[in-house]
Amino acid sequence: MKYLVADFIHFLRVEKGLSNNTITSYHRDLRAYTQYLQTIEKMDSLKDVSRPIIMKFLAHLKDSGKSSKTIARHISSIRSFHQFLLREKQLDHDPTVHIDLPKQEKTLPKVLNLDEVEALLSASYKGDSFSLRDRAMLEVLYATGLRVSELIGLNIGDVHTMLGFVRCIGKGNKERIVPLGSKAKEALEEYLEKGRPKLVNRKNRSEALFLNHHGNRLTRQGFWKILKQIASSAGIEKTITPHTLRHSFATHLLENGADLRAVQEMLGHADISTTQIYTHVSKARLKDVYKQFHPRA
């Protein structure tokens, strides 16, 4: 089983060109699936896997406290895996046929209001090299709506402050160009002039835009820690994730009259239905304002 999973992962990386994060997610799901088959079902081959066995695995996930969203992701991973094996003639049937995805609760993404965004960005500025970097990262995130993986994946050559845009590689290795606002341009220019030169490792000069204290590319985990520290110092009580600024970027654009297609393009969404969630967020916030301020609400 391990070798078949390895072949599938190779297919995803080389032929499908999926991102490292997506591939890691597939690998984790399939490792859990094959371990269950081997340890619980005592199976040595995937040829004997049937729909009832997969349903038992999904029940096992549910009993383990996994959410419907996580279970749906496992189903998608297992389905793609078995379809790959069928195409490669490793199996003669697909046991995932007629397995439906569980219904998922639609939850609106959490966003920051304008005052909270201002507090977050202000709290990141202290004047030293690291805070210049941190402020530039947050300004760029809020100005562009980049995913965190896209942000930390930026190289110096991807940023064009004179022309006012950022070039990034998104999901599926798709390139897109996103405009930069004036505040983000200022923060980036100050970081590049005064902050980044002090973080560069002279022995191993990295092309990465945002560097850690070793002079290497900042990691997702590193950014996560930085964001939590800044949010805490800004006195923001909401739970903030790296995606929160992306959500806030899209919501604030739509609230101020931006075209949905333009926001889809900037976010790098393949399907506009993914972008439409932000119209629901805007409507929900309008209702809150109405209830708060209308005398007969």
Side-chain angles (χ1 to χ4, degrees):
M1 290 187 195
K2 185 168 69 173
Y3 297 108
L4 293 176
V5 171
D7 287 344
F8 178 60
I9 296 301
H10 179 76
F11 164 76
L12 296 179
R13 178 174 287 111
V14 176
E15 296 192 35
K16 300 288 282 186
L18 300 185
S19 69
N20 288 333
N21 291 330
T22 303
I23 290 171
T24 300
S25 179
Y26 270 105
H27 206 173
R28 184 172 54 245
D29 292 347
L30 294 176
R31 191 163 54 242
Y33 172 56
T34 53
Q35 282 178 353
Y36 171 84
L37 294 177
Q38 291 172 321
T39 58
I40 306 297
E41 298 294 334
K42 308 298 182 186
M43 300 180 72
D44 296 322
S45 171
L46 290 166
K47 293 181 179 179
D48 298 324
V49 175
S50 61
R51 182 177 179 275
I53 287 175
I54 295 178
M55 296 301 293
K56 284 170 68 177
F57 171 66
L58 299 178
H60 168 75
L61 292 178
K62 187 173 182 180
D63 292 341
S64 302
K66 303 297 183 185
S67 67
S68 58
K69 184 177 180 180
T70 300
I71 293 172
R73 194 196 66 222
H74 273 82
I75 294 173
S76 296
S77 298
I78 294 168
R79 180 173 290 150
S80 297
F81 179 48
H82 276 281
Q83 288 173 350
F84 166 78
L85 295 177
L86 189 62
R87 286 195 304 272
E88 295 295 308
K89 302 191 185 310
Q90 296 290 338
L91 297 179
D92 58 6
H93 71 291
D94 180 5
T96 66
V97 174
H98 305 309
I99 293 180
D100 297 324
L101 296 176
K103 289 185 178 179
Q104 299 179 43
E105 295 180 8
K106 290 187 177 179
T107 56
L108 296 179
K110 289 185 173 129
V111 299
L112 301 176
N113 60 40
L114 293 176
D115 290 337
E116 289 168 332
V117 170
E118 190 60 41
L120 188 70
L121 296 176
S122 299
S124 66
Y125 186 66
K126 296 183 180 66
D128 61 279
S129 301
F130 292 110
S131 65
L132 288 174
R133 176 202 63 191
D134 299 345
R135 183 169 73 109
M137 288 193 300
L138 294 183
E139 288 281 6
V140 169
L141 267 190
Y142 181 59
T144 62
L146 295 185
R147 301 174 180 92
V148 176
S149 56
E150 295 167 348
L151 179 80
I152 63 173
L154 290 176
N155 291 326
I156 295 179
D158 296 326
V159 178
H160 302 270
T161 54
M162 288 290 290
L163 298 175
F165 71 84
V166 168
R167 169 188 170 274
C168 75
I169 305 298
K171 288 186 174 180
N173 283 329
K174 291 181 181 176
E175 177 184 303
R176 72 181 190 278
I177 306 296
V178 187
L180 273 174
S182 59
K183 295 288 187 184
K185 282 165 58 179
E186 289 172 13
L188 266 175
E189 286 170 349
E190 190 173 9
Y191 164 65
L192 288 170
E193 181 185 346
K194 302 176 184 177
R196 191 180 182 280
K198 295 178 181 177
L199 300 179
V200 171
N201 184 331
R202 306 296 174 188
K203 294 180 180 178
N204 181 26
R205 290 178 176 270
S206 172
E207 287 298 310
L209 177 60
F210 297 113
L211 304 174
N212 60 21
H213 61 286
H214 293 300
N216 299 320
R217 188 182 298 275
L218 191 71
T219 63
R220 288 168 59 93
Q221 293 80 6
F223 178 82
W224 176 266
K225 289 179 183 176
I226 291 165
L227 180 61
K228 287 205 292 187
Q229 289 168 357
I230 295 173
S232 176
S233 63
I236 297 174
E237 296 180 357
K238 287 180 182 175
T239 301
I240 295 181
T241 70
H243 240 47
T244 304
L245 281 171
R246 178 172 163 86
H247 295 322
S248 304
F249 160 83
T251 303
H252 295 167
L253 277 176
L254 289 170
E255 284 180 345
N256 286 288
D259 178 71
L260 189 65
R261 289 284 181 187
V263 176
Q264 176 195 5
E265 183 72 21
M266 285 185 276
L267 290 173
H269 285 160
D271 192 335
I272 199 167
S273 63
T274 310
T275 318
Q276 284 174 329
I277 184 68
Y278 297 108
T279 63
H280 298 308
V281 176
S282 299
K283 288 173 186 174
R285 292 188 67 183
L286 283 174
K287 286 181 181 178
D288 291 339
V289 171
Y290 180 84
K291 288 177 182 177
Q292 184 177 354
F293 295 109
H294 195 283
R296 288 185 177 273

